[in-house]
Structures are given as structure tokens and as C-alpha cells.
């Protein structure tokens, strides 16, 4: 009788361990790597790392090659990676995708205790980056990288890391503008109080003049610095013969400032500087929140973010040497190890190639290549080491040429926001009212002409309109982030509400890349047989073998004799004198129906066919529910680079096209075809093969199980775990437009009240001072309140959805 091995939890990473042989006192580890990391941390007394969060480490079963980071010794590579260098110190920022909790932050900000030549380390958790200052005279960039790798935080270097394009640094200019404008606005308001309470008749004229000139001085930074971006945006739109929302705002700010200066200098009044500074202040705050997501995530990624930075070449003397991928030339012999990306088109010279092209082509299963065959760039080797000869440089490879194709790189202007369209009509109506008013007073009483026209342009400023859109969208973007839905900008939310067609990719989008759905059908398997099968499939690196390994209970792996793997058919071996075979129906004598949905692996023990394992892609939780709800509002299509083995399962879930074996260009062409028919298209994908269609669509959504991992250029990044909320998030985006329209109505009412006084030439500073801030603040409160109410309902509905995500799709067809 075979006894189950006691399952324990690794003290470092929390994964289960089948052995207790690796331990330090009562602390058990799943592998030697986790034990080593603990010893490094314990040696410098940083074990508080394990107290902040339980089992915070990253599994260390995969060993790192000793020379993996040798390319960092190249001075040319160092120059492009290091931000700053003087005689004593160097500054560099590492991207660490493994960072996930407060323990990680604590450890990484104490790197100086691991090596005292590290002067300082500072973490940016949102971007998963750590900035390190170190003394390069005593420790090298490579040594720091290896130190981070030794404690479980291997830095990610890509070809994009040494691109000539500068890394986007955090722009603090808007923070400075908000701070300076807010300070000036608060003081101008304070200095204006005496004028408000006396209704513009301060007895001490000298005091009134002093306050007015102080306000004028404080308004100068607001006008020339704080409001500068509105002037720049308006000027650019005018040069393009287009009136955006900033144009009437810039005009109103200029008119308000000019009239205020005139009144103060001439002694005719205190002007409207409080209203002007308040408008600029509130609009800057709104835009800050609206742009916060874009500054945190990277939406414009290309193939250089996916390709590795270094590669191993084999010299003529058979010496292995690390070089930068950018220095790779045609004719170079390169060595690719397990789980490494192939950076250029090559010919296979040595080794057994099992290339995973799922991220490039959408093909779910690895492709086997023979010696002499071409292996294209972008694939990942899932087997052992390979030797290949480069036939095209990185810049000339198939994948690079595909990415650089005009259709994939064009930066087309997506549909213009209706706010800009509304602004155009608003401006025309405003000028019409101003012209009519000017004409009336010109023939009746010219003394009121200047006052009436400028008052109209001041009070009818579309600031409330802009504030309603800015604060609603900014708040919506913030709320959507909490649900794992990161939109590039506010216009994206608007385009989501206009869409009527949704296209999905399959592999990695509606399926989960690293998981498969497995169940067994046939004669019952006793524990001994399960152990035999698991021991046999453990010898194979084929994805179906891995799926069965994960499906069967964890038991001790037994020794396998006469193991043999026949390509495309199956595996066979002898365990405890029992002949075990697993593979296709032809390999073991089929038992089940010839109709195949997904993949089936048949089991034979000695001469007895036991049954078969049915394996198919693991669909995302809630897929059936999500798609059935979407069908009520949208036409749904599937464009997949994978084969059509699961067509029957998927046909019941899509009411549009089901197209398989699609190339990236074919996907792009299909999106263009739908748009030519007047469709507003949302494309949901995840890989390089979706890059063109994501860019071409009205809204491109990249779904990823880690928002900081590579995803192609897109408008929205959506976390995979939020997929079951997709319908709710789309509905929420539509409600954004409703909230903006409600606030538009309120702001127009304020404009009508203001215009009533303005056209008569009776708009006093005190009325403007009350009306304009009240309208701005009420709009902010209204939009924030309504969006928060909708957010609360979204959260409640989300909790209901997450309680029982529907996964019945995994059983359809069986």
C-alpha cells in the first residue's frame, strides 16, 4: 500500500513541499533555493521580512545561470541603463515584477544591510520599481543584479531598457501649478472678503486700492503659469482649425484678467481675479486626477518591451559570451536556455526545440522544430538548451517587421470626444449672444457695451461644463482602477459607452494561459495507478503532461524504466514491472468517440485500456455569464490564432463571427472591415498578435494577469481577475455619460442666471464672485456624489458576481 507523503508549507514562499528534508530547525523549505534566500536574509538580521507578511517570498526552484547577467559588464549597456554617474556613485532603477506586498517593500528598502556599498534604495510600489544608489568603485551593476536575484527579485531587463527613447519621468509641473495656483487663489479670496461684505464700497479707499493691487500681484502666477496649459492647448487647436473645450476657457481667462487689470488700474472696481484663479485651480485639480492612471501604467508598449536585453553567443573558439541583443548580427551562433525568448529569426542547429508562440501567434500548444528549420523571433523555448544561427538581425526579423508595419504603428486620432463637439457649438452660441448684446448697446447706450460684452464672456465661460466632465471622468477613472480596469484617459470611457461590437481573442484572453481544465473518464484509478501515471507524465515537458501532473494528487515520484516519448503520439515507460502508456487514441488503441473537442490523452496499463483524460483550455471564471449578458447588448465575435478544436464549445457563446487560425494582419483587416460598416469596435486581446487590431479598434483592451507584465499598446489594461466584472464595468462607463449630461444641465442653468445680469451690463464683481465659485463647487460635489453612488452599486453587484462566478463553460461539449 502506497502512503501519501505529508504535505508541508514552505516557510519562505508558502508553496507545498513533498519533503521535510530541506529545513533549518523547525522551518521547512520546498527547495534549496528558498532555504538559501532565508539564510542570506537571516545572516544580516532582516527576518522581520517574514513577520510583516506570512510566507512573503517567491519560489526559488528555478536556478539562475551563473553567467546570465554577464552582459551587464559591458560598459555600453551600463551607460544606457544608469541614469546618473559621478566619481563615487551611480543611480539606476530596476523593474522587479515579483514585488507584491509590504514585506517586499521593507526588504528592498534595506538593501544597504545586505551590502553596505549600496548607499540607498527606494521603492515605487505602483510601478514595481526600486531606485538604487551605489558606490560603483566597490560593487558593480552586475553584482547588485545578482544580489537582487539571490533574494528572489530578479530584475527584468528588456531591449526597451536601452532604447534611445527616454524613460518617462514623473511630471511634477502640474503639482507645482496646483500648489502655486491654490496658494494664490486662497489669498486672493481672503483679500476679497472686505469687498464682498461692503458690497464694493470700502470706506478706506487706500485700503481698497492696496487689496486690489495685492490681488493683481497674486493673480500674475495664476495667469502666466497656472493657466499656461489652457492657452497652449487652445492655440494648438486653432492652428488645426478646430475649437476644443480649452479655447473658450482660454478666452474667458484672458478677458477676465484684462478687464480686471483695467478696473484696478483705472480705479473703477476690484475686478474678477478671485473667479479667474478659482476656475484655473479647480480645473488643474480635475485634470491631475484624470491623468493619474496614465502616469502610473505604460499603455504604449512595443516589441522592445518583450525582447530580452542580453543573449548568449558562442564564439569561434566555442566560448560562451554574453552580449546585448542590439549587437546581435547575422551569422552569430546563439544559445537559448529554458524559458528564454528567441530575439531574432534563426536556424536551429542543435537541441530539441519546443517553441511557445502563444504570445505571438495565439497558438496554444508549443511547436516542435527540427534541426535545420527556421525558428522565428518572439517564441519562448520550453525545453532544454538550443543552439541557433541568426539569419536576420533583430531589426529585420519577421516579428519586428510586422510590428513596424504602417497598419500596426499608425497613430490615428480615435473618435473625437463629444465634449469638444459641444464646446464648438457652445462657443458659437456664446459669440452670437455677445454680438447681439454688443449690437443692442451700441445703438442704445454705448456706455454699457464694454461692460456687457466682457461680462458675457466671463460669466458664460464653459468652465462648469469642463469641470463636470473633468471631475466625473477623473473620479470614474479612479473608481475603475479599484476594479482592475485601467483606462488610458477620459475619452476611452466615452468610446466604451458608444461601442456596439466586441471582438475577443482566445488564448490568454478568454482562457487562462497557465491553466488547463482536466477530468478523467473511464475505469476508476486506484492510488497506485494514479502514482504510476503521475510518475510517467512527470518525465515529459509536453503541456498536456504537465496538465495531468497538476491534476493528479501529489505523491512520491517513482523511478521510470525504458521511458520513451514518440513525437505527436504519446509516452511509454515501465514502473514496478507495469507497462504504462499515455497518448493519442492511435497510440494506445482508442476507447472514446472520434469526435474531439480540446485534447484527450488515453491511458493503458499493461494490455488494459483504463480510460482517457480530457483536457481543454481553462476558461476564465464567469465567462459563460459574461458573454451571455453581453450578447443582449453587443454583437460578439472571436478572432483566434489557435486551431478550431473548441469551436463547438464556443459557438453557443458568440453571436458573431468565429474565426480561427488568424494571423495578426487578418485580425487587423477584420476590425477595419467592421469599422467600414459603421461599427464601433472594442477589441479584447493579450498578445503581440493582437497589437494591430487593438490599435485599430475604437477601444483596445489588453487583458493581463499582471498589469506590470508586458501587454501590447492599448487603451485599457484590465486585470484578468476582473474579467467576471466586464459587463458591470461597461455599464458603469455608460453611466459616466449620463452623469456628465446631468451636470451639464446644471451648469447651463448657472450660465443662464449669469447671462441674465451680463447682457444688461449689470454683472457686479460680487455677483460673479458668488456665482462662479458656487457653480464650480456644486458641480464638483454633484459629479463626485453621483459617481460615488454608482460606484457603491458597482461594488455591491461585483460582490454578488464574485460570490459564484459561473464556470459551466468548462463542461460544455462533454
Amino acid at each position: 500500500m502506497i502512503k501519501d507523503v505529508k504535505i508541508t508549507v514552505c516557510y519562505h514562499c508558502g508553496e507545498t513541499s513533498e519533503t521535510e528534508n530541506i529545513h533549518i530547525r523547525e522551518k521547512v523549505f520546498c527547495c534549496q533555493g528558498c532555504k538559501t534566500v532565508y539564510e542570506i536574509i537571516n545572516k544580516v538580521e532582516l527576518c522581520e521580512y517574514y513577520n510583516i507578511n506570512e510566507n512573503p517570498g517567491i519560489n526559488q526552484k528555478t536556478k539562475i545561470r551563473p553567467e546570465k547577467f554577464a552582459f551587464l559588464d559591458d560598459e555600453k549597456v551600463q551607460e544606457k541603463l544608469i541614469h546618473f554617474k559621478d566619481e563615487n556613485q551611480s543611480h539606476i532603477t530596476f523593474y522587479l515584477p515579483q514585488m507584491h506586498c509590504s514585506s517586499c517593500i521593507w526588504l528592498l528598502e534595506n538593501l544597504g544591510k545586505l551590502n553596505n556599498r549600496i548607499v540607498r534604495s527606494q521603492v515605487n510600489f505602483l510601478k514595481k520599481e526600486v531606485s538604487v544608489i551605489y558606490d560603483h568603485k566597490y560593487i558593480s551593476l552586475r553584482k547588485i543584479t545578482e544580489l537582487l536575484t539571490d533574494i528572489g527579485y530578479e530584475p527584468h531587463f528588456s531591449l526597451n531598457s536601452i532604447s534611445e527613447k527616454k524613460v518617462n519621468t514623473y511630471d511634477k509641473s502640474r503639482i507645482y501649478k496646483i500648489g502655486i495656483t491654490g496658494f494664490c487663489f486662497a489669498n486672493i479670496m481672503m483679500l476679497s472678503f472686505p469687498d464682498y461684505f461692503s458690497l464694493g464700497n470700502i470706506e478706506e479707499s487706500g485700503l481698497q486700492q492696496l487689496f486690489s493691487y495685492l490681488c493683481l500681484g497674486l493673480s500674475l502666477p495664476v495667469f502666466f503659469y497656472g493657466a499656461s496649459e489652457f492657452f497652449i492647448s487652445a492655440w494648438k487647436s486653432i492652428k488645426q482649425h478646430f475649437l476644443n473645450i480649452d479655447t473658450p476657457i482660454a478666452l474667458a481667462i484672458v478677458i477676465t484678467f484684462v478687464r480686471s487689470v483695467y478696473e484696478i488700474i483705472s480705479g473703477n472696481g476690484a475686478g474678477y481675479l478671485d473667479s479667474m484663479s478659482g476656475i484655473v485651480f479647480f480645473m488643474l485639480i480635475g485634470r491631475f486626477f484624470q491623468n493619474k492612471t496614465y502616469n502610473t501604467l505604460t499603455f504604449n508598449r512595443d516589441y522592445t518591451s518583450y525582447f530580452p536585453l542580453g543573449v548568449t553567443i558562442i564564439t569561434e573558439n566555442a566560448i560562451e559570451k554574453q552580449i546585448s541583443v542590439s549587437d546581435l548580427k547575422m551569422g552569430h551562433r546563439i544559445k537559448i536556455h529554458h524559458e528564454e525568448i528567441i530575439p531574432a529569426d534563426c536556424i536551429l542547429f542543435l537541441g530539441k526545440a519546443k517553441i511557445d508562440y502563444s504570445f505571438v501567434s495565439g497558438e496554444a500548444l508549443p511547436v516542435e522544430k527540427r534541426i535545420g528549420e527556421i525558428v522565428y523571433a518572439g517564441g519562448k523555448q520550453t525545453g532544454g538548451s538550443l543552439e541557433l544561427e541568426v539569419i536576420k538581425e533583430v531589426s529585420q526579423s519577421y516579428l519586428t517587421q510586422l510590428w513596424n508595419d504602417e497598419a500596426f504603428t499608425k497613430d490615428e486620432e480615435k473618435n473625437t470626444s463629444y465634449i469638444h463637439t459641444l464646446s464648438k457649438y457652445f462657443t458659437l452660441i456664446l459669440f452670437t449672444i455677445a454680438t447681439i448684446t454688443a449690437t443692442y448697446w451700441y445703438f442704445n447706450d454705448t456706455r454699457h457695451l464694454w461692460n456687457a460684452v466682457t461680462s458675457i464672456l466671463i460669466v458664460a465661460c464653459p468652465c462648469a461644463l469642463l469641470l463636470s466632465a473633468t471631475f466625473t471622468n477623473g473620479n470614474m477613472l479612479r473608481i475603475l482602477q479599484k476594479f482592475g480596469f485601467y483606462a488610458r484617459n477620459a475619452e476611452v470611457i466615452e468610446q466604451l459607452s458608444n461601442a456596439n461590437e466586441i471582438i475577443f481573442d482566445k488564448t490568454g484572453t478568454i482562457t487562462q494561459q497557465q491553466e488547463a481544465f482536466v477530468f478523467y473518464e473511464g475505469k476508476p484509478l486506484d492510488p497506485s495507478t494514479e502514482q504510476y501515471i503521475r510518475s510517467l507524465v512527470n518525465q515529459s515537458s509536453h503541456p498536456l503532461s504537465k496538465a495531468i501532473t497538476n491534476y493528479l494528487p501529489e505523491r512520491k515520484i517513482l523511478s521510470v524504466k525504458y521511458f520513451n516519448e514518440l513525437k505527436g503520439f504519446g509516452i511509454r515507460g515501465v514502473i514496478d514491472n507495469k507497462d504504462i502508456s499515455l497518448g493519442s487514441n492511435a497510440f494506445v488503441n482508442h476507447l472514446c468517440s472520434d469526435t474531439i473537442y480540446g485534447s484527450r490523452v488515453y491511458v493503458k496499463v499493461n494490455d488494459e485500456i483504463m480510460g482517457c483524460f480530457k483536457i481543454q483550455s481553462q476558461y476564465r471564471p464567469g465567462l459563460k455569464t459574461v458573454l451571455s449578458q453581453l450578447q443582449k447588448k453587443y454583437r460578439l465575435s472571436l478572432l483566434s490564432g489557435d486551431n478550431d478544436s473548441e469551436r463547438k464549445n464556443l459557438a453557443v457563446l458568440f453571436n458573431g463571427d468565429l474565426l480561427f487560425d488568424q494571423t495578426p494582419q487578418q485580425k487587423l483587416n477584420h476590425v477595419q472591415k467592421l469599422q467600414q460598416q459603421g461599427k464601433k469596435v472594442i477589441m479584447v486581446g493579450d498578445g503581440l498578435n493582437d497589437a494591430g487590431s487593438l490599435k485599430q479598434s475604437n477601444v483596445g483592451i489588453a487583458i493581463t494577469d499582471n498589469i506590470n507584465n508586458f501587454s501590447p499598446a492599448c487603451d485599457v489594461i484590465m486585470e484578468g481577475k476582473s474579467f467576471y466584472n466586464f459587463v458591470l464595468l461597461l455599464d458603469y462607463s455608460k453611466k459616466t455619460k449620463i452623469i456628465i449630461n446631468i451636470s451639464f444641465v446644471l451648469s447651463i442653468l448657472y450660465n443662464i442666471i449669469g447671462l441674465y445680469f451680463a447682457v444688461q451690463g449689470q454683472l457686479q464683481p460680487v455677483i460673479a464672485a458668488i456665482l462662479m465659485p458656487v457653480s464650480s463647487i456644486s458641480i464638483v460635489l454633484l459629479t463626485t456624489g453621483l459617481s460615488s453612488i454608482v460606484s457603491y452599486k458597482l461594488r455591491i453587484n461585483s460582490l454578488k458576481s464574485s460570490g459564484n462566478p459561473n464556470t459551466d463553460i468548462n463542461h460544455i461539449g462533454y
Side-chain angles (χ1 to χ4, degrees):
M1 175 131 183
I2 298 173
K3 294 182 180 180
D4 289 349
V5 177
K6 181 182 177 182
I7 304 300
T8 56
V9 176
C10 177
Y11 180 75
H12 176 69
C13 68
E15 293 195 12
T16 56
S17 173
E18 296 182 9
T19 177
E20 294 186 359
N21 295 332
I22 306 173
H23 65 90
I24 298 176
R25 294 182 294 277
E26 74 284 358
K27 298 175 178 66
V28 179
F29 302 92
C30 64
C31 63
Q32 195 64 43
C34 287
K35 179 185 175 184
T36 301
V37 174
Y38 171 78
E39 290 173 335
I40 293 172
I41 293 173
N42 183 55
K43 184 178 179 180
V44 293
E45 299 181 349
L46 290 176
C47 284
E48 181 66 20
Y49 172 70
Y50 296 103
N51 297 331
I52 299 172
N53 291 282
E54 188 178 4
N55 313 122
I58 307 297
N59 182 277
Q60 298 295 301
K61 290 181 180 178
T62 304
K63 294 183 178 180
I64 305 298
R65 292 184 293 107
E67 297 298 314
K68 181 172 183 177
F69 300 109
F71 65 90
L72 293 175
D73 292 331
D74 187 336
E75 290 187 2
K76 291 189 296 183
V77 173
Q78 291 179 24
E79 288 175 3
K80 294 181 178 180
L81 289 173
I82 292 173
H83 307 319
F84 171 81
K85 184 175 183 180
D86 61 16
E87 294 180 358
N88 300 312
Q89 295 181 350
S90 293
H91 299 199
I92 186 170
T93 299
F94 295 101
Y95 170 50
L96 308 178
Q98 307 88 345
M99 195 189 307
H100 65 283
C101 66
S102 52
S103 290
C104 301
I105 297 173
W106 185 85
L107 180 61
L108 291 169
E109 292 198 338
N110 282 280
L111 291 178
K113 292 185 179 180
L114 292 170
N115 190 305
N116 58 13
R117 299 302 180 182
I118 296 176
V119 179
R120 188 173 68 123
S121 56
Q122 184 174 356
V123 169
N124 183 329
F125 185 71
L126 287 176
K127 292 189 175 183
K128 296 190 182 294
E129 292 177 346
V130 58
S131 298
V132 176
I133 301 174
Y134 64 97
D135 189 337
H136 54 248
K137 291 185 294 185
Y138 298 98
I139 186 171
S140 66
L141 174 58
R142 177 180 174 183
K143 290 295 183 183
I144 294 177
T145 303
E146 290 174 345
L147 172 63
L148 287 167
T149 303
D150 287 343
I151 61 173
Y153 299 93
E154 180 184 345
H156 173 73
F157 296 105
S158 67
L159 191 56
N160 188 51
S161 304
I162 59 171
S163 168
E164 293 300 321
K165 298 176 182 177
K166 298 293 183 183
V167 178
N168 289 331
T169 57
Y170 183 68
D171 184 10
K172 296 181 180 179
S173 62
R174 184 163 283 160
I175 295 290
Y176 296 146
K177 286 182 179 179
I178 291 172
I180 293 171
T181 303
F183 171 81
C184 294
F185 168 56
N187 282 278
I188 290 172
M189 287 293 292
M190 183 180 67
L191 292 169
S192 299
F193 281 149
D195 197 53
Y196 298 159
F197 296 136
S198 64
L199 298 178
N201 297 311
I202 298 178
E203 294 182 1
E204 295 289 337
S205 59
L207 194 60
Q208 182 177 17
Q209 191 175 22
L210 174 63
F211 286 165
S212 297
Y213 275 99
L214 285 174
C215 289
L216 178 59
L218 288 167
S219 71
L220 295 178
V222 177
F223 182 77
F224 289 104
Y225 179 61
S228 59
E229 63 184 72
F230 302 104
F231 300 144
I232 293 170
S233 174
W235 177 244
K236 287 181 179 178
S237 73
I238 291 170
K239 287 199 297 184
Q240 296 175 2
H241 306 289
F242 170 72
L243 293 178
N244 62 12
I245 190 68
D246 288 338
T247 306
I249 290 173
L251 177 63
I253 292 172
V254 170
I255 295 295
T256 306
F257 181 75
V258 170
R259 176 167 170 176
S260 298
V261 171
Y262 169 77
E263 288 189 2
I264 291 171
I265 293 176
S266 64
N268 293 327
Y272 306 89
L273 297 175
D274 46 359
S275 300
M276 181 203 75
S277 56
I279 290 165
V280 174
F281 177 63
F282 284 121
M283 288 192 296
L284 287 174
I285 290 178
R287 291 195 174 181
F288 170 76
F289 285 110
Q290 194 169 292
N291 294 333
K292 197 172 182 181
T293 304
Y294 190 78
N295 293 330
T296 303
L297 299 177
T298 304
F299 290 88
N300 295 313
R301 290 166 168 166
D302 61 13
Y303 71 93
T304 61
S305 301
Y306 180 60
F307 276 15
L309 176 55
V311 65
T312 304
I313 66 167
I314 303 173
T315 65
E316 294 179 355
N317 300 324
I319 298 173
E320 293 186 9
K321 178 183 176 183
Q322 283 276 335
I323 67 168
S324 170
V325 166
S326 58
D327 295 329
L328 205 56
K329 304 295 182 185
M330 201 171 82
H332 272 158
R333 182 73 66 89
I334 64 174
K335 190 169 187 177
I336 299 295
H337 298 83
H338 177 65
E339 293 294 305
E340 288 188 347
I341 304 293
I342 298 165
D345 295 349
C346 303
I347 291 179
L348 179 62
F349 263 76
L350 185 65
K352 189 174 182 180
K354 292 184 177 180
I355 312 299
D356 177 6
Y357 282 115
S358 61
F359 203 71
V360 177
S361 66
E363 178 65 38
L365 296 178
V367 178
E368 295 192 6
K369 293 286 186 179
R370 297 187 180 93
I371 291 175
E373 290 186 330
I374 294 178
V375 180
Y376 291 104
K380 180 189 290 185
Q381 166 64 349
T382 60
S385 298
L386 303 177
E387 287 189 19
L388 308 102
E389 182 170 309
V390 178
I391 59 173
K392 288 183 180 179
E393 295 181 16
V394 176
S395 60
Q396 301 297 320
S397 68
Y398 166 75
L399 181 63
T400 308
Q401 289 179 346
L402 175 66
W403 194 283
N404 291 331
D405 186 274
E406 181 183 357
F408 286 71
T409 58
K410 62 183 178 181
D411 192 16
E412 285 189 346
E413 181 77 20
K414 296 203 176 181
N415 297 336
T416 304
S417 171
Y418 82 104
I419 295 173
H420 293 303
T421 304
L422 180 64
S423 169
K424 181 174 68 174
Y425 291 110
F426 181 91
T427 304
L428 293 174
I429 293 171
L430 178 62
F431 281 133
T432 301
I433 294 173
T435 302
I436 293 172
T437 303
T439 304
Y440 173 82
W441 287 115
Y442 179 78
F443 289 105
N444 289 277
D445 190 347
T446 55
R447 291 176 302 172
H448 293 292
L449 192 150
W450 165 252
N451 186 47
V453 172
T454 54
S455 296
I456 288 170
L457 295 176
I458 292 170
V459 78
C461 163
C463 303
L465 299 177
L466 179 61
L467 282 173
S468 62
T470 302
F471 272 87
T472 301
N473 287 326
N475 201 32
M476 290 295 192
L477 288 171
R478 179 182 62 81
I479 293 167
L480 288 172
Q481 285 180 46
K482 294 182 179 180
F483 292 89
F485 198 78
Y486 304 85
R488 177 198 291 265
N489 53 39
E491 283 73 20
V492 171
I493 298 179
E494 184 182 327
Q495 297 310 318
L496 283 170
S497 65
N498 295 331
N500 50 26
E501 177 98 16
I502 303 179
I503 300 175
F504 290 91
D505 171 51
K506 175 176 167 281
T507 307
T509 301
I510 63 172
T511 66
Q512 294 176 296
Q513 278 278 38
Q514 305 302 325
E515 299 181 24
F517 181 77
V518 182
F519 69 95
Y520 173 76
E521 182 181 273
K523 299 176 182 178
L525 301 176
D526 58 42
S528 299
T529 305
E530 286 182 341
Q531 186 176 22
Y532 295 148
I533 295 171
R534 193 170 190 270
S535 299
L536 181 64
V537 295
N538 190 62
Q539 309 300 314
S540 171
S541 61
H542 195 281
L544 298 182
S545 297
K546 291 181 179 179
I548 295 173
T549 302
N550 294 331
Y551 170 75
L552 293 172
E554 292 185 3
R555 301 180 189 278
K556 181 181 178 181
I557 302 300
L558 303 177
S559 175
V560 180
K561 297 180 180 179
Y562 312 116
F563 176 79
N564 181 43
E565 185 168 3
L566 191 60
K567 178 184 176 182
F569 290 93
I571 55 177
R572 176 174 291 155
V574 176
I575 305 173
D576 287 350
N577 296 319
K578 293 185 181 293
D579 189 356
I580 313 293
S581 301
L582 280 89
S584 65
N585 53 5
F587 188 71
V588 298
N589 298 321
H590 66 86
L591 172 68
C592 302
S593 169
D594 289 333
T595 303
I596 297 176
Y597 306 122
S599 301
R600 303 189 183 206
V601 178
Y602 300 89
V603 183
K604 185 177 180 181
V605 179
N606 291 328
D607 293 326
E608 183 181 8
I609 296 176
M610 303 298 295
C612 66
F613 291 97
K614 295 183 176 181
I615 305 167
Q616 70 173 124
S617 301
Q618 177 69 57
Y619 292 97
R620 293 193 179 276
L623 177 67
K624 183 178 180 181
T625 302
V626 168
L627 296 185
S628 62
Q629 291 177 356
L630 287 174
Q631 279 193 34
K632 300 173 183 176
K633 305 174 183 178
Y634 304 92
R635 183 175 182 269
L636 306 182
S637 297
L638 180 75
L639 297 181
S640 174
D642 201 0
N643 60 60
D644 65 349
S645 61
E646 297 180 31
R647 179 186 290 272
K648 184 176 179 180
N649 289 348
L650 297 169
V652 297
L653 299 174
F654 290 86
N655 55 3
D657 303 310
L658 280 177
L659 302 176
F660 297 89
D661 299 308
Q662 295 291 291
T663 66
Q665 187 64 51
Q666 287 174 321
K667 289 186 176 185
L668 173 70
N669 293 341
H670 189 78
V671 173
Q672 289 176 328
K673 177 183 175 183
L674 290 173
Q675 289 176 326
Q676 289 167 2
Q677 296 171 1
K679 301 287 187 181
K680 303 295 183 183
V681 181
I682 296 174
M683 175 70 196
V684 187
D686 78 308
L688 291 173
N689 61 318
D690 303 315
S693 49
L694 285 170
K695 201 169 186 66
Q696 177 64 38
S697 62
N698 298 88
V699 179
I701 300 176
I703 187 168
T704 175
D705 293 312
N706 185 328
I707 61 171
N708 287 284
N709 282 354
F710 176 83
S711 57
C714 58
D715 301 303
V716 177
I717 297 175
M718 180 169 68
E719 292 182 10
K721 64 184 180 182
S722 300
F723 182 78
Y724 70 90
N725 274 328
F726 191 38
V727 180
L728 295 176
L729 294 171
L730 290 178
D731 289 343
Y732 188 61
S733 299
K734 289 185 177 181
K735 288 182 173 62
T736 302
K737 196 170 182 178
I738 296 173
I739 293 173
I740 292 175
N741 289 336
I742 291 172
S743 58
F744 274 5
V745 172
L746 180 61
S747 63
I748 289 171
L749 289 176
Y750 280 121
N751 280 334
I752 291 172
I753 295 171
L755 285 171
Y756 172 78
F757 293 101
V759 296
Q760 300 177 68
Q762 296 177 357
L763 181 67
Q764 300 299 320
V766 67
I767 298 175
I770 294 172
L771 189 62
M772 298 182 76
V774 167
S775 66
S776 299
I777 293 171
S778 60
I779 288 295
V780 170
L781 293 176
L782 176 68
T783 56
T784 304
L786 289 176
S787 56
S788 297
I789 291 171
V790 176
S791 169
Y792 175 76
K793 292 182 178 179
L794 174 62
R795 186 164 61 251
I796 297 299
N797 291 331
S798 174
L799 290 173
K800 291 179 181 178
S801 301
S802 62
N804 184 27
N806 191 321
T807 53
D808 287 346
I809 174 63
N810 293 311
H811 303 282
I812 291 178
Y814 294 103

